[in-house]
Amino acid sequence: MFHAASSPGQNRTPLPPAQSPAPAVPSPRRPGESDGRPAKQRDAFFDNAKYLAIVLVAAGHSWAPLMDDSRVLRSLYMFVYAFHMPAFIVISGYFSRSFHARPDRLKRLITGVAVPYVVFETALSLFKRYAGHSPEQDISLLDPWYLTWFLCALFIWRLTAPLWKLVRRPLPLALVIAMLASAGSSIGDDLDLQRVLQFLPFFVLGLSMKAEHFRLVRRRSVRIAAVPVFAAALVTAWWAAPRMNSSWFYHRDAAQDLGAPWWAGPVMTLALFGCSLVLTACFFAWVPGRRMWCTALGAGTLYGYLLHGFVIKGAGFQGWYDHAWLHRPLGEILVTVVAATVITLLCTRPVRRVFRCVMEPEMKWAFRQDAGEQARERREAQWPQWEKAGSVSA
């Protein structure tokens, strides 16, 4: 750039210019977690991916009571379950790359994961006990019911994230752990550890990914190749629907619990990981990267995920699925549309504003404020107003 005169011994090689982040992938930092610079704007790709994945989650849950009467619906169910949660977990792992045991990160883990887990595990258990007329339903924070297993798993995965970044070959190790877990029926139901361990490779994969990996799967050639891959997966699901136990896709049981020999667990874990990895890449290839009407909803997917459980289970408790016409093609289409509409509404800003007190509580009264956090807050208070206005929460 320029050469300034200097005395002997003071010549230094100029530093390379700072590189701006890749346009397709945002920094995972949030306000209050940065190094004194304003946070980057949310990336539309990840918000779109989270929204589309949560719609598939809601659709899959709405199909469960109907799929025994329809091979088409069971095939779609198995196809969707092969990749919708893996995609969500890969994204969760990717945005956990910067997690470490800094006080502000641990506070966010408690307020954003542990507290919602306690609240919704209690609320869903009470909902089943009274609305579902199941007085035997216990409130146990050690035995997640229905949807809350994901929060329990996310809490454990994030706590272990710094350890996975120290390991030389994290993904093969995570796969070995998942395979061993699927062969061990003695693990039990505490904290839903089977799911925690069997889904672990997808989280570790996300931790290991970089911006260029997402750019690779979003190339036009991959998008074109995804079409025949999805078609082949649908044909395979059609063939497997009457022959395969769909519980394999839940990753919540050992092989022996599904009536299979112990060695089938590691084999199926490895096979399903490969299938899920390919289909997840195809899913990401078709996720739009531009801002759309649904992009803003991506910030509220956890709200939709936890709240739609009351709607799905409530419909079952009220016997709405017992109507014969819902088990016909038009009824199944209607159920799918209603599920997609409900989950969309539950991700909107008004709903998030109402439930933020339990989903993202500040809880300043519960924590000490360390000196480092106070210094960061002082730096943020000194940012120019135009920089604050341009900073958007990640």
Side-chain angles (χ1 to χ4, degrees):
M1 297 292 292
F2 63 91
H3 299 278
S6 60
S7 60
Q10 292 182 340
N11 292 329
R12 293 179 180 149
T13 304
L15 294 173
Q19 294 181 351
S20 59
V25 183
S27 166
R29 288 191 176 104
R30 297 172 183 263
E33 297 180 353
S34 66
D35 54 1
R37 293 171 295 183
K40 299 299 180 183
Q41 186 174 359
R42 295 184 69 99
D43 187 275
F45 167 76
F46 289 102
D47 280 334
N48 291 337
K50 289 194 296 180
Y51 169 74
L52 294 174
I54 205 65
V55 168
L56 292 176
V57 169
H61 287 158
S62 70
W63 294 340
L66 306 174
M67 65 180 184
D68 289 338
D69 300 323
S70 171
R71 184 174 179 178
V72 172
L73 209 58
R74 176 171 286 274
S75 303
L76 288 172
Y77 183 87
M78 295 175 70
F79 169 73
V80 166
Y81 264 74
F83 70 89
H84 70 345
M85 282 309 296
F88 224 107
I89 295 169
V90 167
I91 294 175
S92 298
Y94 181 76
F95 282 100
S96 299
R97 294 175 305 156
S98 61
F99 180 86
H100 48 79
R102 203 171 73 188
D104 60 324
R105 303 295 175 93
L106 292 174
K107 290 177 185 177
R108 290 192 64 86
L109 183 63
I110 292 172
T111 58
V113 180
V115 171
Y117 171 72
V118 173
V119 171
F120 280 89
E121 175 63 24
T122 303
L124 282 168
S125 297
L126 291 174
F127 186 67
K128 182 181 181 181
R129 178 186 293 182
Y130 296 108
H133 306 290
S134 301
E136 73 283 358
Q137 176 65 35
D138 294 328
I139 301 175
S140 173
L141 299 181
L142 295 179
D143 188 13
W145 182 67
Y146 195 35
L147 301 172
T148 53
W149 72 267
F150 178 71
L151 290 176
C152 182
L154 186 59
F155 187 85
I156 296 173
W157 292 335
R158 282 220 172 124
L159 277 181
T160 62
L163 298 177
W164 290 108
K165 289 184 285 188
L166 293 176
V167 177
R168 189 181 295 273
R169 297 287 186 270
L171 185 56
L173 178 59
L175 275 171
V176 169
I177 292 174
M179 293 165 68
L180 292 175
S182 67
S185 58
S186 60
I187 290 180
D189 297 328
D190 289 348
L191 300 179
D192 223 339
L193 280 180
Q194 277 289 357
R195 270 177 166 162
V196 173
L197 298 177
Q198 291 191 38
F199 274 116
L200 175 64
F202 298 103
F203 182 81
V204 174
L205 175 63
L207 276 177
S208 307
M209 291 184 72
K210 299 179 181 179
E212 53 264 30
H213 296 138
F214 287 98
R215 289 198 295 269
L216 283 175
V217 299
R218 295 174 63 193
R219 293 179 301 174
R220 187 171 182 270
S221 58
V222 179
R223 192 174 296 115
I224 294 173
V227 176
V229 171
F230 272 148
L234 284 169
V235 172
T236 303
W238 172 267
W239 174 85
R243 298 175 174 86
M244 180 180 174
N245 188 344
S246 59
S247 295
W248 284 106
F249 294 98
Y250 302 153
H251 297 284
R252 69 184 179 194
D253 301 298
Q256 298 93 320
D257 300 326
L258 299 177
W262 69 267
W263 54 264
V267 171
M268 287 296 292
T269 298
L270 194 59
L272 288 176
F273 178 79
C275 293
S276 298
L277 187 59
V278 171
L279 292 177
T280 299
C282 293
F283 170 73
F284 285 147
W286 275 97
V287 171
R290 64 185 184 279
R291 293 196 63 82
M292 303 173 63
W293 64 270
C294 62
T295 302
L297 301 175
T301 49
L302 190 58
Y303 289 77
Y305 173 78
L306 292 171
L307 292 171
H308 90 282
F310 294 95
V311 180
I312 297 293
K313 288 299 182 181
F317 295 155
Q318 296 299 316
W320 293 351
Y321 285 106
D322 296 337
H323 297 288
W325 63 274
L326 284 180
H327 295 255
R328 301 189 183 100
L330 286 179
E332 293 165 357
I333 293 173
L334 177 62
V335 167
T336 306
V337 172
V338 170
T341 303
V342 168
I343 199 73
T344 298
L345 294 175
L346 293 177
C347 293
T348 56
R349 191 179 298 274
V351 174
R352 285 152 48 194
R353 188 178 300 116
V354 171
F355 289 95
R356 183 170 287 121
C357 59
V358 294
M359 292 291 294
E360 301 177 81
E362 293 188 2
M363 295 181 62
K364 291 183 178 180
W365 54 269
F367 302 106
R368 296 177 180 177
Q369 193 171 32
D370 67 297
E373 186 175 354
Q374 291 176 345
R376 282 190 293 273
E377 289 182 354
R378 284 195 296 268
R379 285 199 300 268
E380 291 170 8
Q382 294 171 359
W383 287 345
Q385 292 300 318
W386 64 270
E387 287 184 331
K388 291 182 181 179
S391 175
V392 180
S393 175

